[in-house]
Amino acid sequence: MHRLSRRSVNSLLRYGSHRRRDAMAAASVVSPNFNESSREKDDSVRWYSVLTTARCSGPDFSKPLKLGNMIPSGMRYESTASDFQTSDAPVEKYEYQAEVSRLMDLIVNSLYSNKEVFLRELISNASDALDKLRFLSVTEPDLLEGASELDIRIQTDQENGIITLMDSGIGMTHQELVDSLGTIAHSGTAKFLKALKDSKDSGSDSNLIGQFGVGFYSAFLVADKVVVSTKSSKSDKQYVWEGEANSSSYIIREETDPEKFIHRGTSIKLHLKCDEKGFAHPERIERLVKNYSQFVSFPIYTWQEKGYTKEVEVDEDPAEAKKDGADDTVEKKKKTKKIVEKYWDWELTNETQPIWLRNPKEVTTEQYNEFYKKTFNEYLEPLASSHFTTEGEVEFRSILYVPAITPMGKEDIVNPKTKNIRLYVKRVFISDDFDGELFPRYLSFVKGVVDSNDLPLNVSREILQESRIVRIMRKRLVRKAFDMILGISVSENREDYEKFWDNFGKHLKLGCIEDRENHKRLAPLLRFFSSQSEEEMISLDEYVENMKPDQKDIYYIAADSVTSAKNTPFLERLYEKDLEVLFLVDPIDEVAVTNLKSYKEKNFVDISKEDLDIGDKNEEKEKEMKQEFGHICDWMKKRLGDKVASVQISNRLKTSPCVLVSGKFGWSANMERLMKSQTVGDASSLDFMRSRRVFEINPEHPIIQTLSAACKNSGDDEEALRAIDLLYETALISSGFTPESPSQLGGKIYEMMSVALSNKWATQHQAFDMQSSQTQEAEIVAEPQPTLEAEVVEPVETTSQK
């Protein structure tokens, strides 16, 4: 351990009185415009430290400002130097400091990412005030005298850019104004909840929203001046709080104008900034209320322009009256027209009630569908819905839906931010912009609402923080989504799941790749075509039920279509044994099945890979075949070289002479084709995986038997070697691979066709002439030609005549 010398310790702890005074001076919050001259002009203005309790000298400041409550003043640190000296050494303690103007700047400019949340925060505060009054009125009914209605009203003045939000809640006293609005990060709701928790008779559950104490200051996102007028149920006086965005101070005064008196509650008037006056439009306010505070438990009224139609009399033109008729004795019917009379009145905005708070047994299917259409702007009814409540470690309520169609043309499979899950905390909308926190990407098509009372949010209540609670909630939501999809798959109406699979089948296949934990839930939901069901897709459960008693594996083949899959030579022996093979015709199918690996203890086996076991292995017969045809395998391997890894006797062919299979750990033909189409494909890995191809031959086929005889009699014959090349390139195509040079392959096929079709349909005379010409050509080629000498010709000058 390093020890400090006494001189070092003394210099470290040397704090004189002048340094302490400097530290206290630094803690004071001083306006940028403050100077000595201004102090002389106005002695009534005083400046106080953020960390001390100060009392203003004016009549409007009769209570102390507790600005120090906004910082963690309880944290103290002692010098470790006390370990090296006696106990009577001076140890000084300091408190954290915060500059009010800087803190306000952080709240306004950095805390909230979206300015329109200011209305959500203010409505949440108003809802808390109403909840407090409702809770306290149970034991004190006198609090509701004179104004029993509990509601929130929002009025706009578009011309002057003013928004006024009023509630008939508990209101605030002078001291509560100082504590709640004069102290940043002081939450009156949190204090109220703590008092309820500490009280002995707190047996009810109160859904109060606020917890951070900064929601009120979000008003300065759009306003440069905020005026709060409030009257508490416990006080006879009404007080006004005024603050500006760029100021570190505020004023409180008593309301003396009788016209501005309110019976109870709080009124917040926002004087909007010049560039934010668009928020004062009534329709925009109505939209924000419906988006964020639609399900607040108290009615919210907005001041809207309305109109009604009425008929009014129209003055008739005297000239037209004379034309209509001369009989003045007949009473004429007066002409009228319809006009729309405009007027302003309060309109209830949050009419939709949160059905997730109701008992699922009391909600009908029609009500679920209506809520789905209204919430997510859909016109088709969902395929399924799930209403549930989870309790225990994490408590939340939710309603999930499976849409009938894909909303954005299947583009959302690569975009996890689909805005399909709307998160509410205590019925207040928080966000619908999540990046996989609540649902994985492959389930992004699921729509629904989630409401919880204890989710970990950041201070702005816009971001869901990563935590154990969120992970548990995600797991339960995913489980409920699978149960809902499984319910569709086992329903009597098979068309519903066919519709679901057409729209969202790729999502579930993507889940097989990304979510290994839920393979057991994903696998029963998959659907594929097969060799015994080419028109209708089957499930893996149906495949397993149809398996042969001695069948150990689930066979599959990947191709670009059902037609290509059913005509592949790999199926010949399996067709003979009546073994069913899955057709993976979607580009993502092979990757999904490869990640699944097995289902119900049955391994997935690609029949285009080497070492295929279909249950009929005979080791003695294979040994005899290798001895009999081993020479032709070596001969072909020598000719093909590095094009194949080996040449083997096939046990999967019946009618085809040969086939080209992939190595056990190499790419299949379908996978190689997909990887070639990738714009960022790796050519080196493609070459490596291609080198694992195995050339399998059918020893029972006449072509292979003919080549076996050629290998024994004339292994260097050029035609036999060219036949091997043609056989290999033909196997490339029939096995699903792409030939390296299609033009050369075409030339070889044309050449063989000309030989095969030669003289086949010619007449006897044409055949004799053609045979004679061929014989003459052969004799000419065989007869040696005499050597010709070149004659040198001298150039001759010529004259041209005109």
Side-chain angles (χ1 to χ4, degrees):
M1 178 183 295
H2 296 284
R3 293 186 176 273
L4 297 176
S5 63
R6 182 172 296 277
R7 179 177 300 177
S8 301
V9 173
N10 291 335
S11 61
L12 181 65
L13 300 176
R14 190 178 300 159
Y15 295 102
S17 59
H18 63 284
R19 292 194 177 186
R20 184 172 181 82
R21 286 194 301 270
D22 294 340
M24 295 303 295
S28 300
V29 180
V30 181
S31 172
N33 300 325
F34 179 78
N35 49 41
E36 294 296 333
S37 60
S38 63
R39 178 181 296 178
E40 294 176 358
K41 293 179 181 179
D42 189 3
D43 293 335
S44 63
V45 179
R46 298 188 180 183
W47 306 90
Y48 301 96
S49 169
V50 177
L51 306 178
T52 58
T53 302
R55 186 178 298 275
C56 297
S57 59
D60 297 331
F61 294 90
S62 59
K63 301 294 182 182
L65 299 178
K66 297 184 179 180
L67 295 177
N69 294 336
M70 70 182 181
I71 45 89
S73 59
M75 300 182 63
R76 302 173 185 268
Y77 294 90
E78 296 186 2
S79 172
T80 56
S82 60
D83 297 337
F84 306 103
Q85 62 184 24
T86 60
S87 59
D88 57 350
V91 177
E92 299 192 1
K93 300 177 182 179
Y94 294 90
E95 297 177 340
Y96 290 111
Q97 303 175 26
E99 187 178 348
V100 175
S101 60
R102 178 58 179 159
L103 187 59
M104 183 67 73
D105 181 69
L106 289 175
I107 294 174
V108 174
N109 298 318
S110 303
L111 189 59
Y112 296 94
S113 60
N114 193 355
K115 290 184 177 181
E116 63 184 22
V117 300
F118 81 93
L119 190 62
R120 179 197 71 180
E121 297 296 311
L122 295 180
I123 292 177
S124 298
N125 290 343
S127 176
D128 281 354
L130 294 168
D131 251 327
K132 293 177 189 177
L133 179 61
R134 183 169 59 181
F135 182 84
L136 295 175
S137 63
V138 176
T139 56
E140 301 178 54
D142 297 340
L143 296 177
L144 295 177
E145 286 186 358
S148 59
E149 293 185 1
L150 302 180
D151 56 21
I152 302 172
R153 299 178 183 268
I154 306 174
Q155 189 174 13
T156 58
D157 183 353
Q158 191 173 0
E159 183 178 354
N160 297 318
I162 297 176
I163 299 176
T164 304
L165 188 145
M166 301 163 285
D167 69 76
S168 56
I170 191 67
M172 288 179 282
T173 63
H174 184 281
Q175 184 60 42
E176 289 172 342
L177 263 183
V178 175
D179 293 338
S180 299
L181 304 188
T183 306
I184 299 177
H186 174 86
S187 174
T189 298
K191 184 178 179 181
F192 182 77
L193 288 174
K194 185 177 184 300
L196 289 180
K197 185 177 180 180
D198 296 339
S199 64
K200 297 180 181 179
D201 55 346
S202 62
S204 61
D205 181 20
S206 183
N207 292 321
L208 296 176
I209 301 170
Q211 55 180 321
F212 298 112
V214 296
F216 166 77
Y217 305 98
S218 64
F220 292 106
L221 292 170
V222 297
D224 51 15
K225 181 181 179 181
V226 178
V227 179
V228 180
S229 182
T230 181
K231 183 179 183 298
S232 173
S233 302
K234 302 177 181 180
S235 175
D236 297 333
K237 295 183 179 180
Q238 181 176 332
Y239 295 95
V240 178
W241 182 100
E242 293 185 13
E244 296 183 0
N246 298 323
S247 176
S248 59
S249 62
Y250 61 91
I251 64 171
I252 298 178
R253 58 180 174 83
E254 184 180 346
E255 183 61 75
T256 57
D257 188 355
E259 295 182 357
K260 297 181 180 180
F261 284 169
I262 57 179
H263 183 79
R264 183 193 66 239
T266 303
S267 172
I268 302 177
K269 183 175 290 186
L270 309 181
H271 296 264
L272 301 178
K273 301 175 183 177
C274 294
D275 54 346
E276 305 295 346
K277 289 187 177 181
F279 282 104
H281 196 284
E283 293 182 359
R284 189 169 186 181
I285 291 295
E286 183 181 15
R287 180 177 60 84
L288 292 180
V289 171
K290 288 184 177 181
N291 186 39
Y292 289 101
S293 306
Q294 177 78 4
F295 304 107
V296 171
S297 56
F298 297 97
I300 302 176
Y301 296 93
T302 55
W303 190 246
Q304 298 289 337
E305 184 180 20
K306 299 182 178 182
Y308 66 93
T309 304
K310 69 176 183 178
E311 290 186 359
V312 296
E313 295 182 1
V314 180
D315 294 336
E316 190 174 9
D317 189 1
E320 294 182 359
K322 291 181 180 180
K323 293 181 181 180
D324 292 342
D327 191 1
D328 296 335
T329 60
V330 180
E331 185 178 357
K332 295 181 179 180
K333 187 177 181 180
K334 296 182 179 180
K335 290 186 176 182
T336 60
K337 68 176 181 179
K338 294 182 179 181
I339 62 171
V340 178
E341 188 77 16
K342 297 293 184 67
Y343 69 99
W344 289 82
D345 196 3
W346 295 107
E347 181 177 347
L348 182 63
T349 304
N350 58 337
E351 294 178 345
T352 306
Q353 297 300 319
I355 65 173
W356 63 79
L357 298 179
R358 298 167 59 184
N359 189 341
K361 297 180 181 179
E362 300 175 356
V363 185
T364 63
T365 303
E366 291 73 17
Q367 290 174 330
Y368 283 127
N369 295 343
E370 182 182 358
F371 176 78
Y372 168 76
K373 293 178 181 179
K374 184 176 295 186
T375 305
F376 298 101
N377 296 323
E378 293 284 349
Y379 62 94
L380 292 177
E381 294 182 354
L383 292 177
S385 62
S386 177
H387 183 187
F388 59 94
T389 301
T390 61
E391 297 178 352
E393 192 172 3
V394 178
E395 297 183 1
F396 65 92
R397 298 173 182 266
S398 178
I399 300 179
L400 300 180
Y401 296 93
V402 175
I405 59 172
T406 51
M408 299 176 60
K410 299 184 180 180
E411 294 179 359
D412 56 336
I413 192 172
V414 294
N415 180 20
K417 296 185 177 181
T418 55
K419 298 185 181 297
N420 286 341
I421 301 298
R422 295 177 62 85
L423 176 64
Y424 293 82
V425 173
K426 300 177 181 178
R427 307 174 312 280
V428 177
F429 175 68
I430 299 300
S431 178
D432 58 359
D433 189 4
F434 300 106
D435 192 4
E437 290 92 345
L438 293 179
F439 269 99
R441 179 173 67 161
Y442 67 91
L443 288 178
S444 58
F445 61 88
V446 177
K447 297 185 177 183
V449 296
V450 179
D451 188 10
S452 176
N453 291 343
D454 52 356
L455 274 182
L457 301 172
N458 68 338
V459 179
S460 64
R461 298 201 299 154
E462 294 177 301
I463 302 174
L464 188 62
Q465 295 179 352
E466 178 64 24
S467 70
R468 181 169 171 270
I469 295 178
V470 176
R471 290 192 294 270
I472 296 175
M473 177 180 289
R474 171 190 166 112
K475 185 177 296 185
R476 294 184 180 178
L477 288 172
V478 170
R479 188 179 304 168
K480 288 294 184 179
F482 277 124
D483 293 342
M484 185 169 49
I485 298 172
L486 184 62
I488 304 175
S489 65
V490 298
S491 64
E492 297 179 357
N493 191 356
R494 193 180 180 96
E495 295 180 357
D496 286 346
Y497 195 75
E498 291 177 356
K499 186 187 301 183
F500 167 82
W501 184 256
D502 291 340
N503 288 283
F504 308 109
K506 284 186 172 63
H507 292 74
L508 299 186
K509 296 172 186 176
L510 180 65
C512 297
I513 302 172
E514 296 184 344
D515 192 356
R516 295 183 180 272
E517 296 180 359
N518 288 305
H519 276 179
K520 292 183 178 180
R521 293 186 175 92
L522 283 163
L525 302 175
L526 300 179
R527 297 292 184 270
F528 303 100
F529 293 107
S530 73
S531 57
Q532 298 180 6
S533 179
E534 300 176 5
E535 302 294 333
E536 187 175 355
M537 288 187 169
I538 64 170
S539 65
L540 294 178
D541 289 325
E542 293 173 325
Y543 180 94
V544 173
E545 289 178 3
N546 297 331
M547 289 176 62
K548 300 298 180 182
D550 58 343
Q551 185 177 346
K552 299 179 181 179
D553 302 315
I554 300 175
Y555 301 112
Y556 70 89
I557 180 69
D560 57 351
S561 65
V562 174
T563 303
S564 300
K566 71 179 182 180
N567 293 323
T568 181
F570 300 104
L571 283 169
E572 293 176 358
R573 185 71 64 166
L574 285 91
Y575 272 137
E576 184 185 21
K577 294 177 67 65
D578 195 25
L579 295 176
E580 190 173 13
V581 180
L582 296 177
F583 292 162
L584 311 186
V585 296
D586 203 16
I588 197 175
D589 283 352
E590 186 175 1
V591 185
V593 168
T594 304
N595 280 269
L596 282 180
K597 295 182 180 179
S598 65
Y599 180 70
K600 290 186 176 180
E601 300 180 355
K602 306 287 185 181
N603 294 326
F604 288 98
V605 174
D606 187 354
I607 64 172
S608 67
K609 298 290 184 71
E610 63 176 334
D611 298 333
L612 176 64
D613 182 11
I614 56 177
D616 60 348
K617 278 193 174 184
N618 190 336
E619 295 182 357
E620 294 182 359
K621 185 178 179 180
E622 290 181 0
K623 188 176 181 180
E624 293 177 0
M625 285 289 184
K626 288 182 180 179
Q627 291 178 354
E628 183 179 355
F629 294 94
H631 62 286
I632 187 175
C633 293
D634 298 337
W635 180 51
M636 288 185 172
K637 176 64 175 74
K638 182 179 179 181
R639 176 62 178 177
L640 297 176
D642 295 336
K643 293 180 179 179
V644 295
S646 62
V647 179
Q648 299 177 4
I649 304 299
S650 179
N651 66 337
R652 74 187 82 203
L653 297 177
K654 183 66 176 178
T655 58
S656 299
C658 60
V659 72
L660 196 64
V661 302
S662 303
K664 190 174 183 180
F665 301 103
W667 283 336
S668 65
N670 181 69
M671 183 59 65
E672 184 176 318
R673 176 176 55 84
L674 293 176
M675 295 305 296
K676 279 183 177 180
S677 63
Q678 300 295 320
T679 56
V680 291
D682 188 1
S684 60
S685 64
L686 186 65
D687 294 337
F688 173 76
M689 302 303 286
R690 183 190 296 129
S691 65
R692 294 299 308 157
R693 296 172 183 170
V694 177
F695 191 55
E696 292 188 0
I697 59 175
N698 181 9
E700 299 176 357
H701 198 276
I703 295 178
I704 302 301
Q705 293 178 353
T706 303
L707 288 176
S708 177
C711 174
K712 293 178 181 179
N713 300 328
S714 55
D716 296 332
D717 186 84
E718 189 64 28
E719 289 187 4
L721 297 177
R722 291 173 62 190
I724 295 176
D725 295 340
L726 183 60
L727 199 65
Y728 167 76
E729 293 182 3
T730 307
L732 272 176
I733 299 176
S734 63
S735 302
F737 295 96
T738 304
E740 298 177 0
S741 179
S743 59
Q744 291 183 3
L745 175 61
K748 294 176 182 178
I749 295 175
Y750 295 151
E751 183 180 355
M752 292 194 65
M753 288 178 63
S754 63
V755 174
L757 300 178
S758 168
N759 306 328
K760 190 169 185 179
W761 294 284
T763 62
Q764 185 176 2
H765 180 71
Q766 290 174 340
F768 176 78
D769 293 342
M770 188 175 296
Q771 185 177 2
S772 301
S773 61
Q774 291 177 354
T775 304
Q776 293 176 2
E777 291 176 359
E779 291 176 354
I780 293 175
V781 172
E783 182 180 353
Q785 299 294 330
T787 304
L788 299 179
E789 296 182 359
E791 181 182 359
V792 179
V793 180
E794 296 292 338
V796 180
E797 181 178 357
T798 60
T799 57
S800 61
Q801 296 180 357
K802 296 183 179 180

